[in-house]
Amino acid sequence: MIKKLASRIVYENKWMKVREDTTELADGSRGIYSVVQKPDFALIIPRADNHFFLVHQYRYPVQDSFWEFPQGAYEENPEIEPVELALQELQEETGLIARKMTHLGYLYEAYGFSSQGFHVFLAEDFTQGKQQLEKGEQGLQVQKFSVKDFEKMIQNGEIKDAPTVSAYALLKLG
């Protein structure tokens, strides 16, 4: 077990905080542990028949664009109900309005350095509305893929988003 002796925020902006903790291990040795704190997000698997809707968007930290399931957080209201967040993110990114939402589970994105987790929802039975993209989502594309093509995209590296792949595993196991 690691014991926290002290803690301080070393960086903070609208989207995240970075905390540095002074720690003590079981053998008495001391060190530091840095933790990225971000609000939880919702990831949505939009399924129609034997197809998924994916979004293709640019991800600045890796300087590339990839296909993934729609997902996002609401920094201004981190206490939002997860299903409400999922419905909002789905419509914002795809224009889809789901009549049926099923909660599949909760996972952590990268618990080795971050406290952020995410709720996974299966969305079904849609009406088509209008996308409501945020400024940072400019150029986001939406496309429908068969489950078979989706699996091939994971295998050949077109889908690299870990939450997308782990969410699909939850769906398959459920």
Side-chain angles (χ1 to χ4, degrees):
M1 186 85 160
I2 301 174
K3 181 180 177 183
K4 179 169 55 171
L5 302 175
S7 185
R8 67 187 182 104
I9 301 296
V10 295
Y11 177 79
E12 181 175 6
N13 65 26
K14 174 183 171 181
W15 300 279
M16 64 186 281
K17 292 180 185 178
V18 178
R19 187 182 82 223
E20 186 175 273
D21 295 346
T22 303
T23 58
E24 182 177 87
L25 299 176
D27 68 1
S29 60
R30 292 188 175 192
I32 63 167
Y33 212 103
S34 298
V35 178
V36 176
Q37 295 176 260
K38 293 184 73 163
D40 286 351
F41 65 97
L43 181 144
I44 307 93
I45 302 173
R47 181 175 68 185
D49 302 314
N50 202 27
H51 292 80
F52 296 129
F53 290 89
L54 301 177
V55 296
H56 191 260
Q57 77 179 300
Y58 182 76
R59 293 300 190 173
Y60 180 81
V62 295
Q63 301 285 299
D64 209 346
S65 299
F66 297 99
W67 290 103
E68 60 191 46
F69 286 131
Q71 55 194 282
Y74 189 17
E75 290 82 7
E76 291 82 14
N77 183 10
E79 302 303 318
I80 189 172
E81 285 296 317
V83 69
E84 185 180 337
L85 175 60
L87 287 164
Q88 286 179 9
E89 285 295 324
L90 178 64
Q91 183 174 3
E92 176 186 299
E93 293 187 3
T94 67
L96 296 172
I97 301 165
R99 290 188 194 98
K100 181 179 179 189
M101 296 289 280
T102 305
H103 189 260
L104 300 179
Y106 179 86
L107 301 168
Y108 287 105
E109 183 170 19
Y111 59 54
F113 67 87
S114 177
S115 60
Q116 185 179 41
F118 61 103
H119 292 271
V120 178
F121 290 91
L122 174 64
E124 298 174 293
D125 191 14
F126 308 106
T127 58
Q128 184 65 55
K130 186 177 182 202
Q131 277 183 313
Q132 299 170 352
L133 299 177
E134 296 175 357
K135 285 184 181 183
E137 296 171 326
Q138 294 176 31
L140 182 141
Q141 301 168 29
V142 180
Q143 192 170 325
K144 190 175 177 181
F145 294 92
S146 71
V147 171
K148 184 177 177 181
D149 286 342
F150 173 80
E151 290 175 345
K152 284 180 187 175
M153 292 166 73
I154 292 172
Q155 290 174 325
N156 70 23
E158 288 178 73
I159 296 176
K160 295 183 181 283
D161 180 56
T164 293
V165 176
S166 58
Y168 182 59
L170 276 180
L171 178 66
K172 291 275 290 188
L173 294 170

